Amino acid sequence: MKCIQTETVLCYIFLSFYIATGQDGMLQKPEAQQSGHRIVGGHDAQPGELPFQVAIQRKFYFGSGSFHWCGGSIIDSEHVLTAGHCVFGLPTAELIVYAGVLNNSWQTAQENRVVRHVTEVFLHEEFDIDTYINDIAVLQVSPGFPTDNPDVKAIPLREDIAPEGLACTVSGWGLLGDPEETKPQILQVVALPFITHDTCRHIYRNYTDGSIELGMNCAGYLEGGKDACNGDSGGPLQCGGLLTGVVSWGEKCALPNYPGVYSDVAYYKDWIAQQLARSRTKFIFRM
Ligand code: 4AZ
């Protein structure tokens, strides 16, 4: 959304309202922004089904409370993996992480809910907001996640290239379905087949608003119908119990021949390990 000069004040008032009403920002590539087609075919997640899923929210400027922004995955006792575009340009102090919840409303108390502040953001040094190349970030939370909560658990990272067609799930609190622009309060999950980098690059070959670059993989059906969407960014593509992708972008949602695009966890395994090491070193020096 662009604000032109003569209408700047009105536009910003509108923009604040737009954000406050929970229309997440930044979740499609800027050129591909626009909705109308949204996640279809998902269903409510069951308690304990996706204990690694977190909701990343942004705190309101005034008063208490927060609004949904992105998804993320717990990767160890004090770190969350998410998309670079979810944290790009945002103050660390504005972010808050909810784990162990199916309902992502900050007002809804839930037995196993764990709320954590973000203490450090490690955004990929070469993240490109125009192309979404290197759309990945590690968040350090404080204090660390509990070890005895059945609804809060880390997911191991995939280190090899997943095979074509592997059964995966993607999950999140992103937009639900046409025509209503509602977002679910309950975490949604949908099963999808994995699409390798090479195949996806071919599928998107004639697309002019983006391309499948190194470090990107995909998931979905060529006939469309099941996909991640606005508000799911940063969340997990899980295949065979391993974190395989991070929701990144796509041409709208659930369209035929435009599968969802993910940051490839195996491709970034060394980068992720480096960030975890950096984070731990910083922690030692902070004491
Ligand atoms: C988004 O805006 C978004 N269909 C996420 C995934 C896809 C498109 C948009 C892929 O969060």
Side-chain angles (χ1 to χ4, degrees), residues 221-226 254-257:
Y221 294 94
L222 287 185
E223 61 268 34
K226 295 183 177 189
L255 289 181
N257 300 312

Side-chain angles (χ1 to χ4, degrees), residues 24-29 32-34 37-39 69-70 85-86 132 170 174-175 204 219 226-234 247-255 258-262:
D24 337 64
M26 304 180 66
L27 293 162
Q28 286 180 307
K29 292 183 85 177
Q33 233 158 31
Q34 219 207 75
H37 301 272
R38 296 167 199 121
I39 203 166
W69 187 242
C70 271
H85 77 261
C86 286
Y132 276 29
V170 64
L175 293 173
Y204 267 87
K226 295 183 177 189
D227 200 359
C229 201
N230 196 292
D232 292 319
S233 276
V247 179
S248 180
W249 65 278
E251 168 58 12
K252 304 201 175 85
C253 309
L255 289 181
Y258 290 105
V261 185
Y262 297 79

Side-chain angles (χ1 to χ4, degrees), residues 37 73 102 286:
H37 301 272
S73 306
L102 291 179
R286 224 183 277 133

